[in-house]
Amino acid sequence: MKMKRLDHRFIIQKLGGRLVNREKIIVIDFGGQYNQLVARRVRECNVYCEIYSYKTDLEKIKAMNPKGIILTGGPNSCYEADSPTCNKELFELGIPVLGLCYGAQLMMHVLGGKVEKADVSEYGKTEVLVDKTDSKIFKDVSDKTICWMSHTDYISQVAPGFEIAAHTADCPVATAQNEEKKLYAIQFHPEVLHTAEGTKMINNFVKNVCGCKGDWKMDAFVENTIKEIREKVGDGKVLLALSGGVDSSVAAGLLSRAIGKQLTCVFVDHGLLRKDEGDEVEGVFGPNGQFDLNFIRVNAQERYYKKLAGVTEPEAKRKIIGEEFIRIFEEEAKKIGAVDFLAQGTIYPDVVESGLGGESAVIKSHHNVGGLPDFVDFKEIIEPLRDLFKDEVRKAGLELGIPEKLVFRQPFPGPGLGIRIIGEVNAEKVRIVQDADYIYRDEVDKAVAAYKAEHGTAPSWMPNQYFAALTNMRSVGVMGDERTYDYAVALRAVNTVDFMTAEAAEIPFAVLQSVMSRIINEVRGVNRVFYDLTSKPPGTIEFE
Ligand code: XMP
């Protein structure tokens, strides 16, 4: 059988199948930290949006026929020789352009205005005074509005043809505009939620200035994608590695609705899933579930525990878990024989982070178990979610009828409990961490639900990720009249926006106490429970 070696970058580039005539905004990325946020805000206006590096050829941008262009912020000073720049012609295409922060300064600089370094930076929530209240960008925005500033350079003189549309106490040009040419330069960050009326301003740009209709909606996406998949796949066969995570589950749901039994999903239960999770995935996608597809569950628990016996080093464990997945997936693929398509749950942030989209390329250091098999006999890759952000994937999942529990799952690492058990992994330790983690999540979920019932909102301490881990420490305790020598379980809960930095969540002590008491009483082999107070950095969210 002919097997195909996959080049990961090639795969991402090779994919297509997008709707070409979709009305579209292009975000040009100058390396700022909020760039994906800009695109998300545009999408929240129901307008499709893609991010491209500032190095992207102007001809390519023209060919995409965007309804509008947004230039993002960035860390440089536009007047320095080697700073990222753009072609003056970009502003002469007749396409509306909105520059944000660095993008605003660059627009002024390129068009003949002046940008200088200020004596002091302007940072944080700042009152912006709108001078041109009839500006299209400020429609329905208050005259005095709180905006998020983060800059040291400032526009000291607007470019010819522009007028000042807003200012602050320290910044003479908070917004400059040339309404006739549909060019807007905004010094602050409307994409950040600290800018009270930022969403309104972005909506004004895409609807009032660019004239977008706003018809990018999830029900339409699901319907169109199902149609596209049918056209592309024809009567071909598709193979998908299903992890039970949100992305691969939604991909499976979409493909199933499009092509039914032409889809085969391989679900590898590596014995490092959370309690009952394997059965839950099988419940949704297996023969008694709600989707029409071929479902293969590989129960590889023993195989994994054997491979992991005696291995204590975290990276070595990660590697074994990842590689074993690939071997198992290949074995299953060989049994199935040649397929036409290999499906993947790649989502838009993966595309941007792989360096093919925007400028702020961060190559992820974590790869899901899953990853990519090296040798599988297929002709083409299909990635039905590659245009979507995570929240959009979730919306698509709900649209497809995937249970909320699965759609709103908290992040779970590919190597699973393997990296939440410090030291050697074995079946007994997996049982302990599964049971402790189940109790912990159950108690936190109950406390959150009770708070919501009383207050109508989630508590401020509501963690973004929370789980139990098993330390490798055993200590002396007493249970009844007996001396014990058992394991310590660590509870972790963090508040984070981007998972790059995090704070320990302030879970009420009473909740922690009930978790402790239940774990000690219900989980054999545990006699101590710790709460991890460490922020990230210096800690990481996971333990290994
Ligand atoms: P850390 O531990 O690096 O975690 O602070 C940040 C986020 O990434 C998840 N994580 C992983 N995800 N494979 C994954 O798919 C991994 O090896 C991995 N390690 C950490 C972690 O759960 C958190 O959300």
Side-chain angles (χ1 to χ4, degrees):
M1 188 189 294
K2 188 176 109 293
M3 292 293 178
K4 195 175 268 186
R5 184 159 190 101
L6 302 182
D7 175 302
H8 299 192
R9 282 186 71 93
F10 166 68
I11 281 166
I12 292 176
Q13 275 171 325
K14 189 178 153 190
L15 293 167
R18 286 185 172 149
L19 285 175
V20 273
N21 293 326
R22 201 186 268 161
E23 78 180 6
K24 185 190 289 186
I25 298 282
I26 297 292
V27 170
I28 300 189
D29 184 350
F30 288 92
Q33 54 182 321
Y34 304 128
N35 301 343
Q36 288 203 25
L37 218 47
V38 176
R40 284 185 50 184
R41 294 283 170 263
V42 173
R43 296 229 191 149
E44 281 164 15
C45 304
N46 299 318
V47 174
Y48 183 70
C49 177
E50 287 177 357
I51 305 171
Y52 289 91
S53 161
Y54 72 91
K55 293 175 192 148
T56 308
D57 198 54
L58 191 62
E59 289 307 312
K60 188 173 165 190
I61 290 173
K62 273 202 265 183
M64 287 186 265
N65 193 24
K67 300 279 281 184
I69 294 172
I70 302 181
L71 314 180
T72 75
N76 301 81
S77 287
C78 62
Y79 44 78
E80 274 165 14
D82 49 358
S83 288
T85 189
C86 65
N87 195 318
K88 193 173 173 197
E89 209 194 309
L90 182 79
F91 304 106
E92 292 161 359
L93 300 172
I95 300 172
V97 183
L98 170 64
L100 303 177
C101 196
Y102 182 83
Q105 295 165 2
L106 186 66
M107 185 191 290
M108 291 300 100
H109 177 72
V110 168
L111 294 177
K114 200 164 179 198
V115 176
E116 291 178 87
K117 192 173 273 333
D119 294 336
V120 279
S121 302
E122 194 180 32
Y123 183 82
K125 287 185 183 174
T126 309
E127 188 177 61
V128 168
L129 304 158
V130 177
D131 305 304
K132 299 281 170 204
T133 46
D134 59 346
S135 163
K136 281 191 175 172
I137 207 110
F138 292 129
K139 182 167 183 284
D140 297 329
V141 171
S142 329
D143 301 358
K144 292 179 183 172
T145 183
I146 296 296
C147 299
W148 185 256
M149 284 287 190
S150 175
H151 67 116
T152 306
D153 286 348
Y154 75 109
I155 300 162
S156 55
Q157 197 185 314
V158 299
F162 280 77
E163 58 185 356
I164 296 174
H167 70 279
T168 74
D170 293 321
C171 178
V173 186
T175 301
Q177 64 181 25
N178 181 335
E179 289 228 277
E180 201 193 316
K181 294 199 168 154
K182 300 185 178 179
L183 304 178
Y184 296 85
I186 295 187
Q187 180 56 70
F188 51 88
H189 289 275
E191 70 277 24
V192 174
L193 289 180
H194 300 310
T195 297
E197 296 177 277
T199 306
K200 223 183 261 176
M201 296 171 201
I202 290 180
N203 192 60
N204 281 340
F205 178 70
V206 298
K207 305 263 176 72
N208 290 350
V209 178
C210 303
C212 292
K213 290 192 288 291
D215 49 9
W216 164 251
K217 300 221 172 86
M218 259 323 112
D219 50 351
F221 169 84
V222 166
E223 212 177 288
N224 289 334
T225 307
I226 288 173
K227 245 187 263 159
E228 282 178 3
I229 294 171
R230 283 192 188 130
E231 273 164 29
K232 185 166 179 155
V233 171
D235 54 7
K237 280 206 256 174
V238 180
L239 179 63
L240 170 73
L242 181 67
S243 71
V246 183
D247 305 341
S248 66
S249 296
V250 175
L254 263 176
L255 286 156
S256 158
R257 294 273 188 255
I259 54 166
K261 289 244 166 9
Q262 288 163 255
L263 168 69
T264 300
C265 289
V266 175
F267 168 58
V268 178
D269 185 342
H270 51 24
L272 303 166
L273 298 169
R274 288 173 292 189
K275 191 178 168 81
D276 299 335
E277 207 161 63
D279 294 342
E280 282 167 17
V281 173
E282 182 167 348
V284 176
F285 294 102
N288 300 320
Q290 63 205 86
F291 290 99
D292 182 32
L293 49 88
N294 297 305
F295 179 81
I296 299 173
R297 174 172 178 172
V298 186
N299 285 314
Q301 294 91 331
E302 291 311 319
R303 181 167 167 174
Y304 270 90
Y305 299 154
K306 237 184 240 163
K307 280 270 174 191
L308 290 166
V311 184
T312 55
E313 211 274 312
E315 283 309 305
K317 290 199 284 187
R318 264 204 170 79
K319 199 156 177 254
I320 291 172
I321 297 167
E323 278 178 6
E324 205 51 22
F325 172 86
I326 289 169
R327 296 291 86 78
I328 293 171
F329 187 67
E330 283 172 3
E331 285 165 25
E332 293 305 315
K334 273 185 195 162
K335 284 186 212 158
I336 296 163
V339 293
D340 301 281
F341 298 89
L342 183 68
Q344 279 184 243
T346 314
I347 68 171
Y348 195 54
D350 303 331
V351 177
V352 177
E353 279 166 13
S354 72
L356 294 163
E359 189 52 29
S360 47
V362 189
I363 309 289
K364 270 194 200 163
S365 58
H366 304 310
H367 291 283
N368 282 323
V369 172
L372 279 169
D374 285 337
F375 295 98
V376 170
D377 192 1
F378 72 99
K379 291 194 201 112
E380 218 180 310
I381 291 270
I382 184 163
E383 292 177 308
L385 307 176
R386 81 186 303 273
D387 287 342
L388 301 192
F389 284 108
K390 194 81 176 188
D391 48 340
E392 295 172 320
V393 174
R394 291 204 164 101
K395 278 189 204 150
L398 293 177
E399 197 67 41
L400 288 159
I402 296 175
E404 280 192 24
K405 192 171 174 200
L406 212 162
V407 167
F408 291 102
R409 242 175 67 134
Q410 51 167 315
F412 186 63
L417 301 178
I419 56 168
R420 293 181 182 173
I421 294 172
I422 300 175
E424 186 187 359
V425 172
N426 59 41
E428 171 68 358
K429 287 181 170 179
V430 170
R431 176 198 57 83
I432 293 177
V433 79
Q434 275 182 340
D435 288 348
D437 178 67
Y438 185 83
I439 291 170
Y440 182 35
R441 286 186 290 128
D442 185 43
E443 289 296 320
V444 171
D445 294 347
K446 278 198 298 208
V448 169
Y451 187 98
K452 278 186 184 162
E454 197 182 330
H455 299 90
T457 57
S460 60
W461 51 265
M462 168 83 198
N464 303 97
Q465 193 171 359
Y466 48 111
F467 57 86
L470 187 62
T471 75
N472 210 15
M473 186 198 97
R474 293 168 81 195
S475 65
V476 173
V478 57
M479 190 94 88
D481 291 332
E482 301 255 323
R483 174 189 187 275
T484 57
Y485 187 61
D486 282 334
Y487 283 110
V489 160
L491 306 177
R492 183 83 165 128
V494 292
N495 290 123
T496 174
V497 175
D498 56 7
F499 295 87
M500 308 292 277
T501 60
E503 298 293 332
E506 289 186 35
I507 296 191
F509 197 64
V511 178
L512 292 174
Q513 268 181 320
S514 23
V515 176
M516 177 275 296
S517 139
R518 277 191 64 192
I519 291 178
I520 300 289
N521 285 317
E522 295 173 35
V523 186
R524 200 169 18 87
V526 180
N527 67 355
R528 258 171 227 270
V529 177
F530 296 149
Y531 187 67
D532 186 353
L533 292 173
T534 324
S535 54
K536 172 185 178 176
T540 52
I541 294 174
E542 301 290 346
F543 280 64
E544 291 200 326

